[in-house]
Amino acid sequence: MRNGNEIVVNVQLHERRVAVLEDGKLVELFIERSDQRRTVGNIYKGIVENVIPGLQAAFIEIGTPKRAFLHIRDIAKFDPFADSEMDDEDEILHQPQASQYGMQIQKILKKGQELLVQIVKEPIGTKGARCTTQLSIAGRYLVIIPGAKHIGVSRKIRDRGERARLRRTVGALKPDDVGVIVRTIAKGRSAEEIKQDLEQLEQLWKKIVQRAKSLPAGSLIFRDAGLIPSLVRDQFSSDVDRFIIDDEAEYKKIVDYVKQVAPELTDRLELYRGRTSIFDSFKIEQQIDDMMRRSVRLPDGGEIVIDQTEALTAIDVNSGKFIGRRELEDTVLKVNLQAVDEIARQLRLRDIGGIIVIDFIDMQRTENIHRVEKALLDALRKDRAHTKMLPMNDFGMIVLTRQRIQQSVFSRITENCPVCDGVGRIFSPSTMVANIERWLIRAKGSFSGGAMILTHPSVAEEFFSEGSERIDDFKNAYGIELTVFADASIPPEDFKIIDGKTGEDITEKY
């Protein structure tokens, strides 16, 4: 097994995949397809299509298939264009401000009003993207927020001296009309490097302002970096031991960028030249297949079972085949602690967001409960997504929330089963026979003569499991002569009934 942290990138004609490995184990997977380009970070010139006072929200037309959703909490309290220099006074841009009219969206926005919005959450399911009017632009070391005033430093930089140094550095460099957030990756960087990043972001903001002036509503004003460039910008740091990519053109682009912003990391970049697929070489494909499974085995025989629904994700911890060698409480504690590490990994890997309920095996000792809680908190610190966790309740459950920005990887690479419609289970053959009998009950008295039943082979087999006795019973009870045919093209949860005289499909008639 490989050691250290690695980023492995696979580039195909219409798909790009990024795997983040820790000691050879897949912990994060990102996928970008030509027909599913990411929109988080994009800035659009939108137009208010509808204001809903009851929701304190508005729907914004931004030129995409689905309208964006803007809640009043996502309306900035300042105008990013307040101090923007404009050549023509008539072309000055203004953004709505929540602080002007209090917290009533109907007083802030009007139908037909134009404004700039930025996507903060991808469309998920039937829901459109969520957006904000607080615009921000990310660079390598900084994020700027035009119109704001404050300076923030990433909480993941814990050294107080370093936090103070970065705050002083940015305070001496930034304009008064721009807020700045210092990113984790800025730790240890010189004032000159931070200044260069700030100047590039300021130039980018000026271009955004000019495009916002000249383009009509419904236009894309700014597109954030794609999957690979944003990954290099946001995650490629001294914590990453190797960055391996299998596409030469993309490799050259990354080398050029890294030479500018972090030349000391250039020797960690590697172009993969192997004959086998890069994901096969790093044993990633098998780990992706394992990710699709509902249950995940733990090292000593326990398991976790993951069930995702639209409302929440339930994770059940089971001891499985692990029986331990000492008393029950020690066995339970060991399984729960092993589950903690795997759960934290699976949350990142599957990119599970929203409400998550974890049902641990019941423990009796308070100190063991605290150990599991602390272990889970520690494991979640590796997660870039924001999480909030409640203490374990009396039922042995921990409830946490995880930031949901985009569709989970599972949702991106799968779709609902056309037979079960995502439930994961289908009617049994005996249930289908009962359903067909209910059709006969509805048709009794209105239809007579012969009928052909076309059904899945497993259902046809159920019909003949007792010879022709069941078919004869149906004939005697409902007065319909039946002939059953097996048809593999018919789904297990469906059937067709054809009039024996006319050949008409009468399934929906009764």
Side-chain angles (χ1 to χ4, degrees), residues 225-276:
L227 175 61
I228 297 175
S230 64
L231 180 89
V232 176
R233 180 192 69 193
D234 300 342
Q235 287 191 250
F236 187 41
S237 66
S238 57
D239 294 331
V240 177
D241 300 295
R242 296 171 72 200
F243 187 111
I244 311 100
I245 185 169
D246 61 0
D247 183 85
E248 188 169 2
E250 289 291 342
Y251 169 75
K252 290 179 179 178
K253 292 178 185 178
I254 294 170
V255 170
D256 291 341
Y257 175 74
V258 173
K259 281 182 177 178
Q260 293 179 15
V261 299
E264 73 280 5
L265 299 178
T266 307
D267 61 350
R268 303 188 189 194
L269 297 171
E270 180 181 325
L271 175 62
Y272 178 76
R273 300 182 183 275
R275 291 186 178 182
T276 59

Side-chain angles (χ1 to χ4, degrees), residues 184-201:
T184 308
I185 207 167
K187 181 179 179 180
R189 292 294 165 180
S190 67
E192 184 59 34
E193 289 174 302
I194 291 173
K195 178 183 178 182
Q196 183 180 3
D197 198 43
L198 180 60
E199 290 174 347
Q200 290 175 348
L201 290 172

Side-chain angles (χ1 to χ4, degrees), residues 277-388:
S277 164
I278 188 171
F279 269 32
D280 283 332
S281 177
F282 283 79
K283 295 181 172 56
I284 297 170
E285 296 290 7
Q286 182 58 52
Q287 295 187 63
I288 294 175
D289 290 341
D290 292 342
M291 180 189 73
M292 303 299 295
R293 302 180 187 277
R294 179 169 169 256
S295 64
V296 181
R297 287 289 178 186
L298 300 176
D300 289 327
E303 68 173 0
I304 62 172
V305 180
I306 303 171
D307 289 306
Q308 291 182 251
T309 70
E310 189 168 348
L312 55 82
T313 298
I315 301 177
D316 187 32
V317 181
N318 298 321
S319 59
K321 297 179 180 179
F322 181 57
I323 57 174
R325 295 184 178 179
R326 293 191 289 179
E327 62 176 279
L328 176 62
E329 182 79 3
D330 292 335
T331 300
V332 168
L333 175 62
K334 186 171 184 179
V335 174
N336 283 340
L337 289 175
Q338 288 182 355
V340 159
D341 290 332
E342 190 59 42
I343 288 169
R345 172 180 172 249
Q346 291 294 330
L347 294 181
R348 294 170 63 192
L349 177 56
R350 302 181 189 219
D351 201 9
I352 297 172
I355 300 172
I356 299 151
V357 179
I358 307 170
D359 185 8
F360 287 97
I361 306 172
D362 288 341
M363 295 173 290
Q364 302 301 317
R365 298 174 190 164
T366 303
E367 62 268 25
N368 289 343
I369 292 174
H370 292 332
R371 279 187 65 182
V372 171
E373 289 174 341
K374 183 179 184 302
L376 183 56
L377 281 172
D378 290 342
L380 291 173
R381 287 199 176 97
K382 295 181 180 180
D383 199 337
R384 293 182 299 111
H386 298 300
T387 57
K388 291 183 179 179

Side-chain angles (χ1 to χ4, degrees), residues 11 138 174 205 208 213 261 272 301 316 354 362 386 389 427 458:
V11 178
K174 85 173 190 70
W205 171 242
I208 291 172
K213 287 170 51 181
V261 299
Y272 178 76
D316 187 32
D362 288 341
H386 298 300
M389 188 184 104
F427 286 140
S458 63

